[in-house]
Amino acid sequence: MINILFKQLIAKTSYKLQHKALLTALQLFNTKLSMDLSTNSTAKRFCQELDVKGNGIKIGTHDGVFHCDEILACFLLKQLPQYSTAQIIRTRDDKLLDECDVVVDVGGVYDPNCHRYDHHQRDFTHTMSSILQNKSFNIKLSSAGLVFTHFGHQIIARLLNWDKDDNKTDVIFDKVYENFIQEIDAIDNGVSICDGCQQNYRITTNLSSRVGNLIPSWNETSDDDILYQRFLKGIELVGNEFKDKVDYYGSVWWPARQLIQQAIDSRMTVHPCGEIIELTQVFPWKEHLFLLESSNQIKPEVKFVIFQDTRGKWRVQAVPISSHSFELRIPLLSDWRGLRDSELSKMAAIDGCVFVHSSGFIGGNDTREGAIQMAFKTLDNRRQSSAPNS
């Protein structure tokens, strides 16, 4: 059809106008091609979108039934400037894959030097720790994990407008992998969530199952066009959740970590024992405290946290042995538990006491000084009771 249009156009023009005629024919061709891509399922099988800049960059992945890992891998690549306008080619044709600039989850090759990121090879055993020696993640990587391992720092830095080489970018990189991508890697590779009593990873999003729900059921109509549309929905779903996760860690989680770091740094001004920290506002603190104690080798460990509640009263909270444990490093004194107000103040010999929970994990006082006294008396009692001659 295009050849006929071209010949007719050339025949009706003089030699001097042939150049203009050629341009017109090419415009007609592009229009016809766009129509084919919007209506022809075979064409749509291979191309997600026209490259509006015309740079011809292509991301290749397999066609047919899709999975969460290659959907996320494609999304991640398109967050990079070199692939932001790339076409996504869905095919298993080696000739078409060879024409792609980067290939994920298909092709049987892992070679970052030529941007091939498949993990289905018999001899593929890579984890993040085998590629990045300073990391400790040991789940076998899927295509999503491979792309994130090689480009994650750059992607996070672009989304948060941070420096790629800043330490905080590396910290967020670890958190996003641990609590978002790692489960996708594990599920795609069939890694058991537990080996005996050892938990290998946690499922925090159930994203793999939700992507699976986009695949047409056995009794639904399905063809290349339908799978293509569902693939695009998967990219939108996975991409939005990835960006939300990065934004949470950058805008919510990281500022809280900074506040805990400040509280640890100034703990000696709260009490010379160094085992009580003060929060300037209420926010989730447990995870940050344990991570920073470990990375900074804080000794002695923090035993109590004090902070002001919404009514202007002061709370003293015992630190658990881990962020998800109910067991406490040192609970408030057993003689105080369950008591309130004047009865508690009399028993504790501390003015302004409000309450102590029956488990000893938290108590209250009217003043900051009273809350510090409740914490220190508990610490002092523990020292005396554990002394050799006591």
Side-chain angles (χ1 to χ4, degrees), residues 1 15-16 43 89 97 102 122-123 159 168 171 186 194 197 210 217 226 239 253 266 293 339 343 355-356 360 370:
M1 177 65 183
Y15 176 79
K16 294 182 179 180
I89 309 298
L97 291 174
V102 55
R122 188 172 185 175
D123 60 348
L159 290 176
K168 64 183 179 181
V171 172
C194 290
C197 296
R210 288 186 285 131
S217 302
I226 291 172
W253 187 88
S266 61
E293 277 187 333
L339 301 182
E343 183 181 9
F355 78 98
V356 170

Side-chain angles (χ1 to χ4, degrees), residues 33-79:
L33 177 60
S34 298
M35 292 174 62
D36 285 344
L37 287 171
S38 65
T39 60
N40 187 292
S41 62
T42 301
K44 290 178 74 172
R45 173 185 178 187
F46 298 119
C47 181
Q48 175 188 336
E49 60 185 25
L50 288 176
D51 179 6
V52 296
K53 291 186 178 180
N55 59 13
I57 300 298
K58 299 175 183 178
I59 299 170
T61 190
H62 64 80
D63 58 4
V65 173
F66 49 79
H67 308 96
C68 190
D69 73 311
E70 80 266 14
I71 283 181
L72 177 56
C74 289
F75 171 81
L76 292 175
L77 287 170
K78 286 181 72 65
Q79 306 315 296

Side-chain angles (χ1 to χ4, degrees), residues 324-341:
H324 298 291
S325 177
F326 291 109
E327 185 179 352
L328 305 171
R329 286 175 173 174
I330 299 179
L332 291 166
L333 291 177
S334 57
D335 290 344
W336 301 351
R337 298 173 199 171
L339 301 182
R340 298 188 63 86
D341 303 326

Side-chain angles (χ1 to χ4, degrees), residues 217-234:
S217 302
W218 66 270
N219 54 354
E220 283 186 274
T221 300
S222 180
D223 56 27
D224 290 337
D225 182 63
I226 291 172
L227 285 172
Y228 171 81
Q229 295 301 325
R230 301 290 181 91
F231 180 86
L232 295 184
K233 287 184 179 179

Side-chain angles (χ1 to χ4, degrees), residues 381-390:
N381 181 270
R382 174 61 65 90
R383 293 190 187 92
Q384 293 180 22
S385 63
S386 60
N389 297 324
S390 62

Side-chain angles (χ1 to χ4, degrees), residues 76-360:
L76 292 175
L77 287 170
K78 286 181 72 65
Q79 306 315 296
L80 299 166
Q82 62 268 40
Y83 302 121
S84 62
T85 61
Q87 301 174 31
I88 296 180
I89 309 298
R90 301 193 71 227
T91 183
R92 294 182 186 273
D93 187 323
D94 288 337
K95 291 182 179 179
L96 290 174
L97 291 174
D98 287 342
E99 296 174 359
C100 294
D101 299 271
V102 55
V103 176
V104 297
D105 210 44
V106 70
V109 176
Y110 166 57
D111 185 353
N113 292 319
C114 57
H115 295 308
R116 297 299 186 262
Y117 302 99
D118 195 11
H119 66 111
H120 294 100
Q121 306 85 279
R122 188 172 185 175
D123 60 348
F124 182 92
T125 59
H126 279 296
T127 65
M128 183 177 286
S129 63
S130 71
I131 299 173
L132 302 178
Q133 303 298 319
N134 64 330
K135 302 302 180 186
S136 59
F137 301 111
N138 293 310
I139 296 294
K140 182 180 176 182
L141 297 171
S142 69
S143 62
L146 281 171
V147 171
F148 188 76
T149 297
H150 287 282
F151 299 104
H153 288 87
Q154 185 178 351
I155 292 167
I156 289 170
R158 283 178 60 83
L159 290 176
L160 295 176
N161 197 27
W162 289 359
D163 186 336
K164 177 176 70 70
D165 298 318
D166 197 310
N167 175 66
K168 64 183 179 181
T169 301
D170 188 56
V171 172
I172 303 305
F173 174 92
D174 287 352
K175 296 304 297 183
V176 172
Y177 183 77
E178 179 183 8
N179 294 310
F180 189 86
I181 293 176
Q182 183 171 229
E183 72 177 82
I184 296 170
D185 283 346
I187 290 171
D188 195 79
N189 284 305
V191 179
S192 297
I193 195 168
C194 290
D195 289 328
C197 296
Q198 177 66 39
Q199 186 172 6
N200 294 319
Y201 61 95
R202 293 189 304 123
I203 294 178
T204 61
T205 69
N206 206 31
L207 193 55
S208 295
S209 293
R210 288 186 285 131
V211 167
N213 291 336
L214 295 174
I215 300 170
S217 302
W218 66 270
N219 54 354
E220 283 186 274
T221 300
S222 180
D223 56 27
D224 290 337
D225 182 63
I226 291 172
L227 285 172
Y228 171 81
Q229 295 301 325
R230 301 290 181 91
F231 180 86
L232 295 184
K233 287 184 179 179
I235 287 182
E236 182 179 8
L237 170 65
V238 171
N240 285 339
E241 294 209 13
F242 176 83
K243 289 189 291 186
D244 285 346
K245 185 68 74 173
V246 171
D247 182 67
Y248 165 77
Y249 281 119
S251 303
V252 179
W253 187 88
W254 179 258
R257 176 188 171 98
Q258 294 300 96
L259 291 175
I260 287 295
Q261 182 67 67
Q262 293 169 14
I264 290 173
D265 292 343
S266 61
R267 67 191 184 281
M268 295 301 179
T269 64
V270 179
H271 195 279
C273 71
E275 298 175 72
I276 307 168
I277 63 171
E278 179 179 351
L279 305 184
T280 56
Q281 60 190 96
V282 179
F283 58 90
W285 54 267
K286 294 177 185 177
E287 178 187 7
H288 300 291
L289 177 62
F290 293 112
L291 289 173
L292 291 170
E293 277 187 333
S294 176
S295 62
N296 296 336
Q297 298 182 333
I298 301 297
K299 296 294 180 183
E301 295 175 330
V302 175
K303 307 301 191 307
F304 290 99
V305 176
I306 66 168
F307 56 90
Q308 200 167 21
D309 64 23
T310 56
R311 298 178 301 165
K313 304 289 186 179
W314 284 83
R315 299 291 184 96
V316 52
Q317 185 170 349
V319 175
I321 61 172
S322 68
S323 58
H324 298 291
S325 177
F326 291 109
E327 185 179 352
L328 305 171
R329 286 175 173 174
I330 299 179
L332 291 166
L333 291 177
S334 57
D335 290 344
W336 301 351
R337 298 173 199 171
L339 301 182
R340 298 188 63 86
D341 303 326
S342 60
E343 183 181 9
L344 175 58
S345 292
K346 183 177 180 180
M347 174 63 71
I350 299 172
D351 293 337
C353 289
V354 178
F355 78 98
V356 170
H357 192 273
S358 59
S359 68

